């Protein structure tokens, strides 16, 4: 039986008398062979290589913007989970930022990128028609990239500190367009759109309204993730959520009304299956069609239909909904109902506005926010109550 190959590169002698180690096909000279300095350099470079994800490229001289972008993307894939869920919105935002920075300054040395370069990136984003808030968020991602590069000792801390001196765009001080504020969805529009939704999607909408959960959280709901020890309030803990990398828990509280919505779907799915499933919804729809069929097909007609269906390439229904498929279904239903189109995430705003009277602390817990400032964004101010107070006190 052959001896297994040692995954750790070994220290060898070079013809020049220096110690060397070969990593990923490249030789690194470490000093005089046999010296303590060479041994120390060997242990250090192997430790650095083992700690890296992806191609090993030790810092040798100035690095370019492209090298920082490539390294940060490998870091973001693992740290933020983009490799497991590449359809997330922040993943697309990071890719678009990387693309602009690479096209404008890809070959530029990272140490030469400063506030003027960042303002050039801002101007390019304005030219693309991005709104002011998005531009500020994307520039914040660029500063985060250089902060990561400082932690990896790829650039000097002064490079990142200089970028912090470049302020974000201010309202009324720039040509960038302003974003449209996200408002709660009127419940009348939700009820009108539900008439054109399949039962599973309508159940997802009702569940999102009552629990104020995010679209990706309702899509990954499974019976095994439900804690039903308290019959008055179940607790759903999703496998993955937005703030998981911050070691924050995300309990989603399910009251009696939301439990009544889930119960019919829980009866027909296994513990590891998704509660809202397109595949089961497709089976339910086909069963309804067969039950409404008034004529009985002859054996010859059944054979002809089977042959015709076999020639049509049909994509099999998935076992779970995605945020994109949920958004498309709601968009189509809104157009059929003749109401303004709303996204599934706006349902959180609707619920937060309803619960605001119970206090921001309670609303923040239900929404899963770590900061009350974030809750202020989702819950509209109770203007009617404020007007009553002003009217009473003069």
């Amino acid at each position: 039986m052959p001896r297994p190959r040692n995954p750790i590169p070994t220290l060898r002698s070079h013809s020049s008398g220096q110690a060397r180690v070969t990593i990923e096909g490249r030789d690194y000279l470490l000093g005089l062979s046999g010296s303590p300095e060479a041994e120390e350099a060997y242990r250090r470079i192997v430790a650095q290589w083992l700690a890296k994800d992806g191609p090993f490229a030790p810092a040798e001289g100035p690095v370019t913007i492209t090298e920082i972008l490539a390294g940060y993307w490998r870091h973001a894939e693992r740290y933020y989970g983009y490799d497991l869920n590449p359809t997330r919105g922040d993943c697309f935002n990071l890719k678009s930022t990387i693309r602009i920075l690479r096209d404008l300054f890809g070959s530029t040395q990272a140490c030469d990128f400063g506030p003027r370069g960042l303002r050039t990136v801002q101007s390019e984003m304005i030219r693309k028609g991005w709104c002011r808030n998005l531009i500020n968020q994307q520039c914040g991602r660029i500063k985060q990239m250089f902060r990561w590069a400082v932690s990896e000792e790829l650039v000097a801390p002064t490079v990142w500190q200089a970028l912090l001196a470049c302020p974000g765009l201010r309202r009324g001080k720039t040509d960038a367009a302003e974003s449209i504020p996200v408002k709660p969805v009127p419940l009348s529009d939700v009820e009108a759109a539900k008439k054109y939704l399949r039962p599973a999607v309508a159940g997802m909408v009702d569940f999102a309204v009552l629990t104020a959960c995010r679209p990706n959280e309702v899509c990954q709901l499974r019976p095994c993730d439900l804690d039903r020890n308290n019959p008055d309030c179940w607790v759903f803990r999703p496998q993955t959520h937005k703030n998981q990398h911050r070691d924050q828990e995300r309990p989603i509280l399910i009251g009696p009304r939301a439990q009544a919505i889930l119960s019919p779907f829980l009866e027909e799915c296994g513990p590891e299956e998704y509660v809202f499933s397109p595949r089961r919804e497709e089976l339910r729809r086909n069963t309804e069609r067969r039950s409404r069929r008034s004529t009985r097909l002859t054996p010859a007609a059944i054979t002809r239909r089977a042959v015709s269906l076999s020639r049509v390439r049909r994509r099999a229904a998935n076992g779970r909904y995605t945020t994109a498929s949920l958004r498309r279904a709601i968009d189509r239903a809104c157009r059929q109902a003749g109401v303004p189109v709303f996204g599934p995430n706006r349902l959180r705003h609707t619920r937060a506005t309803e619960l605001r009277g119970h206090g921001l602390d309670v609303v923040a817990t239900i929404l899963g926010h770590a900061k009350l400032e974030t809750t202020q964004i989702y819950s509209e101010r109770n203007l009617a109550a404020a007007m009553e107070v002003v009217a009473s006190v003069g």
Side-chain angles (χ1 to χ4, degrees), residues 204-327:
M204 297 173 74
V205 170
D206 288 335
F207 184 81
V209 170
L210 294 174
T211 61
C213 63
R214 299 182 178 92
N216 68 315
E217 294 168 347
V218 66
C219 290
Q220 58 179 304
L221 176 61
R222 301 183 304 171
C224 60
D225 299 325
L226 287 175
D227 181 1
R228 288 179 270 188
N229 293 327
N230 183 358
D232 296 329
C233 184
W234 297 351
V235 180
F236 165 46
R237 291 182 172 86
Q239 284 186 309
T240 60
H241 57 88
K242 182 178 180 180
N243 294 319
Q244 187 176 15
H245 66 281
R246 297 189 177 99
D247 292 332
Q248 295 181 10
E249 292 187 358
R250 176 60 174 122
I252 299 176
L253 308 181
I254 306 174
R257 294 171 58 191
Q259 294 175 18
I261 294 172
L262 290 183
S263 296
F265 299 97
L266 293 175
E267 294 175 356
E268 56 185 21
C269 68
E272 300 290 336
E273 296 178 345
Y274 294 100
V275 175
F276 302 107
S277 170
R279 186 176 298 123
R280 288 198 304 273
E281 192 63 31
E282 184 73 14
L283 293 175
R284 185 185 298 110
R285 182 171 61 178
N286 292 337
T287 303
E288 293 176 356
R289 287 177 174 176
R290 285 192 295 268
S291 64
R292 292 195 302 264
R293 186 178 298 157
S294 58
T295 59
R296 190 168 183 176
L297 297 178
T298 63
I302 295 176
T303 303
R304 288 196 300 271
R305 173 170 291 186
V307 172
S308 62
L309 290 178
S310 64
R311 295 175 180 175
V312 178
R313 295 183 178 180
R314 299 188 63 186
R315 185 176 59 182
N318 295 326
R320 59 166 290 184
Y321 287 93
T322 63
T323 55
S325 61
L326 175 61
R327 184 178 61 253

Side-chain angles (χ1 to χ4, degrees), residues 37-73:
E37 293 79 8
E39 294 283 346
E40 178 183 348
Y42 165 71
R43 291 191 295 269
R44 180 173 61 253
I45 197 171
V46 169
Q48 292 175 351
W49 172 66
L50 292 175
K52 293 289 181 181
D53 280 339
F56 176 67
E60 294 182 355
V63 298
T64 63
I65 296 292
T66 299
E67 292 173 331
I68 288 184
L69 296 178
Y72 184 78
W73 174 250

